[in-house]
Amino acid sequence: MEIGIDSFASARYGSNTLSSVAAMEQLLDRIAAADRAGLDVFGIGEHHKKEFLDSAPAIILAAAAARTTRIRLTSAVTVLSTSDPVRVYQNFATIDLISKGRAELVVGRGSATEAYPLFGFDLRDYDALFKEKLDLLLQLRNEEFVSWKGQFRPALDNQPVYPRALQEKLPVWLGVGGTPESFVRAGMLGLPLMVAVIGGETERFRPLVDLYREAGAKAGFSPQDLRVGLHSPGYVARSDEKAIADYYPGYAEQWTKLGRERGWPAVTRAGFDAMTAPQGVLVVGGPEQVAEKLIRHSKALGGVDRFTFQMDNAGLSHGQLLESIGLIGSEVIPLIKGQL
């Protein structure tokens, strides 16, 4: 199992708000620290809100590529529905060249919708936009000269697209939430699957992951093609008690605020305790508890190939995040490798 981190480039730690310059510098420091600590992947999300600095994730990843040597660098996710696939491919092919073959993409429709009015797209075309643009992106990945025609973008007539990625096939993962259609689509295309699980119990996604694998097998793809990734909020501290004490106050504040925007109930301590329980989604605890939970999640889903912590959503300080990255590299990853 590969282990990594996804970040939304938050500039807010608890009650403190950093300058954008300081927050970006600290984020790049954390990516470099993850590289040194032996983590496998670091992802940058895409949002267009005041509290996040990830509206242009490809630029952040390019800066990170110049500071790192081995860690894979990915979007988490690229909101493909509101992007030009040609530009997306060019950006990530360029990152692939800078990083010497470490670039990846996770593409999705976006759970937050602020990009649609910002870039002039209609939410009523939510799924049609994504389907068409994914088709073009995969063709761009596979062909140097592209002929293509669609509804939402001007046609291409044997148009060359440069630069080409260093990797022969730039990895493209499909980011999904909870709709069966998305899981089946990923399987039919033979794309690796990144499942965002942010609430409830992780094992409830097993039927959807089974749909993905069944659709992929019917389409002729091997089990090795059908990789499954899991993205969930989490944090590692030196003990279970310290992890809870560090994480809960900021998590409760920020997710209650998000809940007001999306119609979710406020976070309660009882609800939080249920989600940090063995079957719960939050991967929060000391190294041993976290390793055990990730192995349990993997077994519950029939095998997980990659897990990424979403850590900067609970008001944690740069120092706390750096310490957590170090513990993941020095203790969590060896524990998982020793047990799998």
Side-chain angles (χ1 to χ4, degrees), residues 47-126:
H47 297 83
H48 302 271
K49 297 182 177 181
K50 183 177 181 179
E51 60 265 37
F52 301 123
L53 300 175
D54 61 346
S55 64
I59 295 177
I60 299 174
L61 293 169
R67 296 191 182 200
T68 56
T69 59
R70 56 166 300 281
I71 197 166
R72 299 194 68 78
L73 301 166
T74 184
S75 58
V77 304
T78 294
V79 184
L80 189 60
S81 301
T82 60
S83 302
D84 181 354
V86 173
R87 203 62 172 140
V88 168
Y89 177 80
Q90 289 176 323
N91 285 341
F92 280 83
T94 302
I95 295 168
D96 205 44
L97 297 177
I98 297 170
S99 67
K100 299 180 176 63
R102 294 184 282 125
E104 299 188 3
L105 292 107
V106 181
V107 299
R109 295 175 294 184
S111 59
T113 59
E114 68 273 2
Y116 288 81
L118 182 63
F119 295 112
F121 292 99
D122 192 329
L123 266 174
R124 290 174 295 184
D125 297 322
Y126 186 73

Side-chain angles (χ1 to χ4, degrees), residues 128-326:
L129 279 163
F130 182 72
K131 183 178 180 181
E132 177 177 296
K133 293 189 176 188
L134 179 60
D135 174 71
L136 176 54
L137 178 65
L138 295 178
Q139 189 172 341
L140 290 160
R141 177 182 71 164
N142 296 332
E143 300 173 11
E144 183 176 344
F145 290 82
V146 177
S147 294
W148 177 91
K149 186 176 183 180
Q151 177 183 355
F152 300 105
R153 189 203 185 281
L156 297 170
D157 183 12
N158 199 36
Q159 185 70 40
V161 178
Y162 302 115
R164 306 306 298 173
L166 177 62
Q167 296 174 86
E168 183 176 352
K169 200 168 187 177
L170 186 68
V172 176
W173 296 64
L174 193 61
V176 299
T179 61
E181 295 80 8
S182 295
F183 286 79
V184 171
R185 173 161 47 206
M188 291 176 65
L189 294 171
L191 296 177
L193 184 76
M194 179 56 71
V195 187
V197 185
I198 61 174
E201 295 186 347
T202 300
E203 63 188 31
R204 67 190 169 92
F205 280 82
R206 178 61 185 264
L208 295 172
V209 173
D210 287 345
L211 277 178
Y212 163 69
R213 292 184 170 124
E214 290 166 9
K218 287 180 181 178
F221 294 100
S222 70
Q224 290 74 25
D225 295 321
L226 303 173
R227 301 179 67 200
V228 174
L230 186 62
H231 157 107
S232 294
Y235 172 65
V236 184
R238 293 194 177 278
S239 68
D240 298 340
E241 296 75 17
K242 186 175 189 307
I244 298 295
D246 288 351
Y247 193 81
Y248 177 71
Y251 175 86
E253 178 186 351
Q254 294 199 23
W255 284 79
T256 296
K257 177 184 175 183
L258 183 61
R260 286 195 294 267
E261 297 173 3
R262 300 194 182 186
W264 301 339
V267 174
T268 65
R269 184 56 192 258
F272 177 82
D273 289 343
M275 288 198 291
T276 54
Q279 282 75 37
V281 65
L282 296 181
V283 186
V284 177
E288 289 188 4
Q289 178 168 295
V290 165
E292 289 172 3
K293 191 165 195 175
L294 291 181
I295 292 169
R296 187 180 299 111
H297 283 348
S298 181
K299 291 178 179 177
L301 295 180
V304 169
D305 299 285
R306 174 179 289 182
F307 177 82
T308 53
F309 292 85
Q310 211 295 303
M311 250 194 253
D312 58 0
N313 61 351
L316 297 164
S317 71
H318 179 55
Q320 289 171 315
L321 294 169
L322 281 175
E323 183 175 27
S324 191
I325 288 168

